[in-house]
Amino acid sequence: MSAVTMSEQGEAPRLGMWVFLASEFLFFGGLLLAYVYARSHWPEGFAQAGSHTHVVLGTLNTALLLTSSAVIAVAVACAEDYRRWSRRLLWVTFVLGLAFLAVKGLEYWKEWGEHLVPGPDFALHAPGAELFFLLYFLLTGVHTVHMLAGLVVVGTLAGRGAREATHVEVGALYWHFVDIVWIFLYPLLYLVGRAS
């Protein structure tokens, strides 16, 4: 009876996280559908605007996130029997997440200087180009907020010494979700405009 109760206690956080992630997928799915709809109406403007994104910085951020996903997966594998290593790997994930945000901040700063922020001084004139950057800042901004939440989760788990393997696993689920969202955003925002 006690074992069943402990098992149920372990499943509850996982189930809660999966329900939460399902609602988040619906939210990002709506934003991505808005992107697809707008791109189908203004393909030239979206292609021109997409060619002005900073593909090197976007690629660097993709590499940082993929690496962080691999590191946190190893942290989960170590959480049961090698807690000290799990904690260290969570800190590595945290640092990689901070590096992602630093690169994204640099990218935003460059785009501000290039007048790519929608508004009166917007630099591009093709129809749809301003809408592209509106969606770009909306999608990457919401993703950044999720990254910040992920850093709080990972930092808290590392700070507490990765004591509960289930908590490390649930935190890693959230981190992988944030990475998967970026995997969808990267080609849509950085590559499609260059391929067309």
Side-chain angles (χ1 to χ4, degrees):
M1 182 69 179
S2 174
V4 172
T5 302
M6 288 181 66
S7 174
E8 288 173 352
Q9 286 175 346
E11 289 302 320
R14 290 190 195 99
L15 179 62
M17 179 55 75
W18 279 113
V19 171
F20 171 73
L21 294 182
S23 67
E24 290 290 292
F25 270 115
L26 290 175
F27 173 71
F28 275 102
L31 290 175
L32 291 174
L33 279 177
Y35 172 93
V36 170
Y37 175 82
R39 181 176 175 78
S40 69
H41 281 72
W42 296 282
E44 292 84 9
F46 268 55
Q48 185 190 86
S51 68
H52 283 75
T53 55
H54 297 277
V55 68
V56 173
L57 295 178
T59 304
L60 174 60
N61 263 346
T62 303
L64 286 169
L65 279 189
L66 289 177
T67 304
S68 73
S69 256
V71 171
I72 202 168
V74 179
V76 171
C78 294
E80 196 71 49
D81 299 321
Y82 304 98
R83 197 185 317 160
R84 184 182 298 175
W85 274 104
S86 181
R87 183 184 189 195
R88 290 175 180 164
L89 292 167
L90 286 171
W91 280 124
V92 172
T93 304
F94 184 85
V95 170
L96 289 168
L98 281 182
F100 174 93
L101 291 180
V103 172
K104 196 67 210 160
L106 171 65
E107 198 176 349
Y108 282 158
W109 179 74
K110 290 170 76 74
E111 285 154 352
W112 176 269
E114 294 165 3
H115 302 281
L116 294 175
V117 178
D121 295 330
F122 189 69
L124 306 177
H125 303 292
E130 193 167 9
L131 179 59
F132 171 90
F133 270 100
L134 181 68
L135 288 168
Y136 165 85
F137 283 109
L138 180 62
L139 286 163
T140 58
V142 171
H143 181 264
T144 298
V145 170
H146 283 75
M147 275 294 297
L148 287 169
L151 284 177
V152 171
V153 170
V154 171
T156 302
L157 289 170
R160 292 180 176 174
R163 287 189 299 234
E164 295 286 338
T166 303
H167 293 169
V168 175
E169 183 183 339
V170 171
L173 271 177
Y174 180 80
W175 193 263
H176 290 313
F177 162 76
V178 174
D179 290 0
I180 288 170
V181 169
W182 182 259
I183 294 304
F184 278 99
L185 295 183
Y186 173 66
L188 290 176
L189 300 176
Y190 294 91
L191 302 182
V192 171
R194 288 175 168 82
S196 56

